[in-house]
Amino acid sequence: METPAVKKYAKANNESSAGTAENFRYKSNRAEPKQSELTRAEARAIIEGKLGREKEPPGAVLVDDLKDALSGFFSAIGTRVTLAVAPGEVGQSMPATDTARSKTDAGYVGRRRRLACEAMNWDNIFEATAANDKPVPGYLFKVTAMVASWLILGLALPTAAQVNRSSHFLSRQSVDVSSQGARCGGLDLPENAGCKQVVEWAAGGGKWDSAAGGWYKNMPSITGVNHEQGTLQDFQRLYYCSPPGDSFCGLPPCTGCSNPPCSDCFAGNQLYSSLRPGCDGNDKGVGCVPPKTALGYKGQHWPTTVIHGTQEMHIFAIGDWGGMDGSLDPPEGRKTIVAYDWGRRPGPSVFPRSRWNKMHTVQFCDHKQFVECFNTRGQAPCAPECGYVAGVDDQPQLLVANAFKARAALVDPQYILNVGDNFYWGGIEKTCGSPMDQISYPTKHQFDQIFEGVYQGAGLTNKPWFSVLGNHDWGGFKFDNGWDQQISYTWASNRWVMPAPYYKTSVVYADLGFDVDYFFLDSNFIDAMPPEEDPNHNMCSRKNNKPSASCAAADGPESVDACPGWFASLWAEQKPWVTQLMGQSKANWQIVVTHFPCGHEQDFYKSLQGLGMDLLVTGHRHDQELWLPDDYAKNHMGVTCIVTGGGGGITSEATPNPEETEDWYGEAQYGFYDLTISKSEILIESINYDGEVLLTHTVHPSR
């Protein structure tokens, strides 16, 4: 049968619809599971994302059985019926001689009965005509149809449902809990309705398709076997953890996979964040074991770092560095993180943002126009106003990272200050609420592709990254992405440090006789606006958050409406916290690190400067800016402040063309900072993406 999906796919690929409508069959001596009704063309289209599965209207799945059954009932009175029993279902005329299909599977029967009960609306049973085309009185037909339907649903279906009846209740095959505490279940459950056909197709023959190696490339890492060896449950596991294409499973299998437990996404070797590398298991403090919930350690002190030696001491500062992971197949029905034609690749891909004039009153280039520049690599029809610089705008994270690594090899920084926006577009592609002692598949994939695989080498490997969340880490225009997984990663890594949205730590330079107190703040309340405002830049957006969005399980916002107040409260509790600790600090240096840029909350930071704050390190604005204390026109804080938002995960505020700087806020568009610290001063050097030192400034202790 040529379905609309087959015709659409065939047209898009210049194929004959007659040829593509054939079910795929691989002929070999292998025993094949039962083939699903999904055609090869439809399966390929779904996997390759060329068309989405057409959703059935509510209650539509019951119509076939109900119509067939009613037609059999009315055949006794020679009646021809036209029915409409589900919203959006077009009434279909069917002869009374049609016979009901034989369905004996208990899950199928139960599901049809439940949906039939939910969808029944007797006012929508339109008409019935006798064999001689004379209308049957409406009241008589309605009564007769009701009796017939209840007889069919109440008597006939229970008889068929005797098969495995104990595991079903009105369509619900039971959802189990695995030995690891994860929910799991079979393909017949409603949670897996979106993947059932394509999983059966894959296991039944699709795995032998010539393109299968590309589609199912993640099978070995997730299931422990290659796609050709995969069982039905292995493919269900794949479509739960990292589904290729448009279909996904809402539950993993409980049993039957090649490398149990089937509920994890690491071939039976779940990645835990239960004990930070280097800890012996006896220390149960913040530096070794995660909290029970994501905010369990907020405001706590991360264990002091002690640095020995008398050499020159360096600190790198970077932000807004984490590009899109286009090679990830996200779970939960999420779209791939791809913005342009060539973004479906391993490693980081930069997100193209709009560009404006310096005062942000005139938009030069919107996102769609900029995407066109990426698609054409700067060739027509790329708008010149976008200021696209080929070789720079298309790979800024890698350019900055190369300069970062080259300088690290020379000066050997002791640690990195990371001001957030670690993963564009919306942080970790997983809904908040994962167990704090486990790392999800998207978390591992994104960290590997965007962080671990990029910032390594002499002077960088194993160096601590003291980090905060940016607004994009919370979700960008939503709040319920996997921000808590970035916190969890602290205890799965020997260098990532983010024990809470806000915290403090100290660094002691033992042989040089000085120390630093660091205060890490979450300033993302600025992008937590009322739900109806600015949907593209609002974490609390009603447009982009689901109505059911909640991070209550992770101690986060419990709803869209509660979201602005939650972030406001988070900021409000940090202000007295840092004020008290800043006043109590006896360290030689006091430094604050946060995401939102120089210029926000200036009165508050001025009060901290009065208590001893020496330096404010920020990001969010996608460039490099060094604010001096005497820049009175804009700096009202009385303290040196840097914006290091040019890490390259997103395109810069203005064109990086050094011949067109009239719309630059600072000294560079892409780069990072190198801070050389001693007891008496901090030398700040602004490093361009090509390694050039653009600007320097020296800070002295405020007290």
Side-chain angles (χ1 to χ4, degrees):
M1 177 182 179
E2 294 185 15
T3 67
V6 170
K7 292 179 179 178
K8 180 179 178 181
Y9 178 77
K11 182 178 180 181
N13 291 275
N14 298 315
E15 297 178 14
S16 164
S17 60
T20 57
E22 298 178 1
N23 283 343
F24 177 76
R25 293 290 188 274
Y26 178 81
K27 297 181 180 180
S28 73
N29 57 3
R30 297 175 176 84
E32 296 182 17
K34 181 182 177 180
Q35 287 285 344
S36 84
E37 297 176 357
L38 195 66
T39 67
R40 179 175 187 265
E42 290 174 315
R44 289 182 67 104
I46 292 169
I47 294 169
E48 295 171 1
K50 293 181 179 177
L51 63 117
R53 294 293 294 160
E54 297 173 2
K55 295 183 178 179
E56 295 176 297
V61 291
L62 69 94
V63 173
D64 289 341
D65 289 337
L66 184 56
K67 287 180 177 177
D68 288 347
L70 284 175
S71 69
F73 180 85
F74 282 110
S75 64
I77 59 174
T79 300
R80 187 177 183 86
V81 296
T82 301
L83 302 178
V85 296
E89 174 74 11
V90 177
Q92 297 179 8
S93 179
M94 56 184 182
T97 54
D98 286 353
T99 57
R101 291 174 296 168
S102 174
K103 299 288 185 180
T104 58
D105 173 73
Y108 178 94
V109 170
R111 181 164 62 257
R112 295 314 195 256
R113 183 170 72 173
R114 177 176 60 82
L115 290 173
C117 294
E118 292 175 353
M120 272 301 205
N121 181 347
W122 298 107
D123 291 332
N124 288 335
I125 297 180
F126 292 152
E127 61 178 316
T129 56
N132 60 4
D133 289 335
K134 292 182 178 180
V136 175
Y139 73 89
L140 176 60
F141 177 77
K142 289 185 179 182
V143 171
T144 308
M146 183 181 296
V147 172
S149 298
W150 281 113
L151 284 172
I152 293 164
L153 295 173
L155 298 176
L157 298 189
T159 302
Q162 295 302 314
V163 180
N164 198 22
R165 181 172 184 167
S166 61
S167 65
H168 297 77
F169 178 74
L170 293 183
S171 87
R172 294 187 181 276
Q173 186 189 61
S174 60
V175 176
D176 296 325
V177 178
S178 71
S179 58
Q180 285 67 43
R183 296 174 73 248
C184 59
L187 281 175
D188 287 331
L189 288 170
E191 290 88 341
N192 290 329
C195 72
K196 177 178 166 59
Q197 279 193 316
V198 73
V199 166
E200 289 176 343
W201 181 85
K207 62 185 179 182
W208 305 112
D209 190 280
S210 60
W215 298 337
Y216 309 131
K217 62 184 181 298
N218 294 322
M219 280 285 283
S221 62
I222 291 173
T223 70
V225 297
N226 64 42
H227 64 279
E228 293 181 352
Q229 299 170 316
T231 65
L232 182 71
Q233 289 77 17
D234 289 329
F235 279 96
Q236 180 185 343
R237 188 179 191 177
L238 173 70
Y239 273 83
Y240 169 73
C241 296
S242 185
D246 296 328
S247 298
F248 72 98
C249 292
L251 290 173
C254 297
T255 59
C257 62
S258 297
N259 288 283
C262 302
S263 57
D264 82 42
C265 297
F266 299 98
N269 300 297
Q270 173 64 49
L271 180 60
Y272 289 99
S273 53
S274 53
L275 186 68
R276 186 172 171 90
C279 293
D280 61 10
N282 294 319
D283 189 341
K284 303 300 182 182
V286 60
C288 284
V289 298
K292 292 183 179 179
T293 57
L295 270 63
Y297 287 157
K298 64 180 181 180
Q300 293 201 26
H301 180 90
W302 180 261
T304 297
T305 301
V306 179
I307 297 174
H308 295 280
T310 59
Q311 73 274 25
E312 193 172 73
M313 298 295 177
H314 288 259
I315 308 158
F316 284 1
I318 191 171
D320 301 75
W321 48 267
M324 301 179 293
D325 181 3
S327 63
L328 173 68
D329 291 321
E332 303 173 356
R334 297 166 177 264
K335 299 298 183 183
T336 52
I337 320 168
V338 176
Y340 33 84
D341 293 345
W342 47 273
R344 187 82 160 109
R345 60 175 188 171
S349 296
V350 62
F351 181 82
R353 70 178 301 277
S354 58
R355 279 180 171 162
W356 298 69
N357 67 339
K358 188 174 183 178
M359 300 305 294
H360 218 264
T361 56
V362 178
Q363 187 181 66
F364 295 145
C365 177
D366 64 26
H367 170 69
K368 290 184 178 179
Q369 289 176 303
F370 214 176
V371 167
E372 190 67 57
C373 293
F374 277 76
N375 287 338
T376 64
R377 302 282 190 169
Q379 302 301 309
C382 172
E385 294 80 8
C386 290
Y388 177 89
V389 178
V392 178
D393 277 324
D394 49 10
Q395 55 174 347
Q397 182 181 348
L398 295 178
L399 292 176
V400 174
N402 288 338
F404 202 77
K405 291 187 285 187
R407 194 167 182 90
L410 292 175
V411 304
D412 190 27
Q414 279 66 55
Y415 50 92
I416 291 87
L417 302 177
N418 168 27
V419 301
D421 276 2
N422 310 314
F423 300 97
Y424 282 96
W425 162 254
I428 299 300
E429 291 296 322
K430 179 81 169 66
T431 301
C432 56
S434 296
M436 288 299 293
D437 63 351
Q438 295 182 17
I439 298 300
S440 70
Y441 184 85
T443 305
K444 178 68 163 59
H445 199 283
Q446 288 180 256
F447 266 97
D448 283 352
Q449 293 293 320
I450 308 303
F451 175 64
E452 302 289 2
V454 177
Y455 302 99
Q456 298 284 1
L460 279 183
T461 300
N462 298 325
K463 297 298 177 64
W465 283 59
F466 294 106
S467 306
V468 296
L469 294 166
N471 58 305
H472 285 273
D473 298 312
W474 286 95
F477 49 38
K478 58 190 302 188
F479 67 83
D480 67 341
N481 272 5
W483 52 269
D484 52 338
Q485 280 282 282
Q486 291 198 45
I487 296 174
S488 293
Y489 197 74
T490 299
W491 295 276
S493 168
N494 66 349
R495 59 181 186 149
W496 185 261
V497 180
M498 187 195 289
Y502 71 93
Y503 63 100
K504 71 177 292 286
T505 193
S506 300
V507 177
V508 174
Y509 294 86
D511 299 323
L512 292 174
F514 73 95
D515 56 355
V516 186
D517 277 348
Y518 285 102
F519 305 90
F520 296 87
L521 304 181
D522 189 299
S523 52
N524 292 294
F525 75 97
I526 297 173
D527 266 9
M529 295 167 269
E532 312 304 333
E533 292 185 11
D534 196 7
N536 292 331
H537 303 92
N538 181 3
M539 296 183 297
C540 303
S541 163
R542 198 179 306 281
K543 176 183 176 181
N544 294 302
N545 282 289
K546 294 180 180 178
S548 60
S550 176
C551 285
D555 286 345
E558 65 179 16
S559 69
V560 174
D561 289 312
C563 176
W566 187 91
F567 279 99
S569 295
L570 184 67
W571 177 247
E573 70 186 52
Q574 294 173 76
K575 294 172 77 172
W577 170 82
V578 69
T579 297
Q580 179 181 356
L581 292 174
M582 186 79 70
Q584 296 173 348
S585 174
K586 304 300 182 184
N588 300 91
W589 295 98
Q590 291 80 30
I591 297 175
V592 171
V593 179
T594 194
H595 179 64
F596 269 77
C598 307
H600 82 279
E601 292 281 300
Q602 293 209 53
D603 289 343
F604 171 63
Y605 291 116
K606 182 174 178 60
S607 72
L608 293 183
Q609 188 274 335
L611 294 172
M613 182 176 70
D614 301 296
L615 178 64
L616 179 60
V617 182
T618 74
H620 186 71
R621 212 157 35 236
H622 310 125
D623 63 358
Q624 302 296 109
E625 306 172 32
L626 177 54
W627 287 36
L628 305 181
D630 58 359
D631 289 336
Y632 301 121
K634 61 181 180 182
N635 188 348
H636 309 143
M637 300 175 288
V639 68
T640 301
C641 181
I642 61 175
V643 177
T644 182
I650 188 170
T651 53
S652 54
E653 295 290 327
T655 177
N657 185 346
E659 303 300 320
E660 300 177 15
T661 62
E662 59 270 21
D663 292 302
W664 289 21
Y665 292 111
E667 69 276 9
Q669 294 302 299
Y670 298 117
F672 64 98
Y673 285 96
D674 179 2
L675 314 179
T676 306
I677 189 168
S678 66
K679 187 174 184 177
S680 60
E681 66 180 33
I682 300 175
L683 172 64
I684 302 175
E685 296 176 278
S686 180
I687 313 300
N688 199 36
Y689 67 84
D690 59 3
E692 180 184 356
V693 178
L694 297 177
L695 196 62
T696 65
H697 174 67
T698 300
V699 176
H700 298 282
S702 62
R703 62 184 185 187

